[in-house]
Amino acid sequence: MNEVWKKPPISLSAYQENGRPRGRVSSWHLVDQKRIDAFAHVIEDHQFIHVDPERAKRETSYGTTVAHGFLTMSLMSIMSYEVMPVIEGTTMGVNYGFDKLRFISPVRAGSRVRAASR
């Protein structure tokens, strides 16, 4: 289990006093072909640009397969837990949504991604 789940919580008042953490960066997360294939299986999207490295190399300008945009987005869950504090008394978190989410650059197989708070 990732160490992020073992962070000591802070009080809500301390969080409100200090505001949202800024300038914190998550750890790097590898987006390799194994992860892309597993995600393709779960969401049933086996488009060649994701799961066929040879064809993607031949037929796309990426030079390899690329991650599904939603795979990249789903990694925000763990990366946000790494960046944000745990508030005392919280029993769970629920994804509320994203504003203006855009996939502006493909994530090639073998890349690493991380998140930063600003």
Side-chain angles (χ1 to χ4, degrees):
M1 179 179 276
N2 193 306
E3 293 297 313
V4 70
W5 307 110
K6 299 178 183 175
K7 286 193 299 191
I10 65 168
S11 69
L12 179 58
S13 60
Y15 178 75
Q16 290 170 329
E17 184 178 306
N18 297 321
R20 200 166 47 112
R22 299 189 187 282
R24 295 184 62 185
V25 179
S26 75
S27 62
W28 288 104
H29 294 268
L30 178 63
V31 182
D32 59 3
Q33 192 61 52
K34 181 178 176 182
R35 178 173 267 178
I36 293 169
D37 290 343
F39 193 82
H41 177 72
V42 169
I43 67 168
E44 299 183 16
D45 179 352
H46 301 278
Q47 187 179 177
F48 82 93
I49 65 171
H50 305 303
V51 299
D52 188 337
E54 292 304 315
R55 185 174 174 196
K57 183 177 181 178
R58 275 193 325 270
E59 298 181 26
T60 73
S61 60
Y62 305 128
T64 187
T65 54
V66 293
H68 304 75
F70 290 128
L71 168 55
T72 306
M73 181 190 70
S74 71
L75 292 172
M76 287 302 300
S77 292
I78 187 61
M79 291 187 289
S80 66
Y81 282 116
E82 290 177 352
V83 172
M84 300 298 291
V86 174
I87 308 298
E88 285 177 348
T90 321
T91 57
M92 66 176 177
V94 176
N95 291 329
Y96 178 73
F98 292 92
D99 290 335
K100 299 180 183 179
L101 175 67
R102 300 290 181 268
F103 304 114
I104 59 174
S105 182
V107 175
R108 289 173 173 85
S111 297
R112 298 180 313 150
V113 297
R114 67 179 178 174
S117 63
R118 307 186 305 159

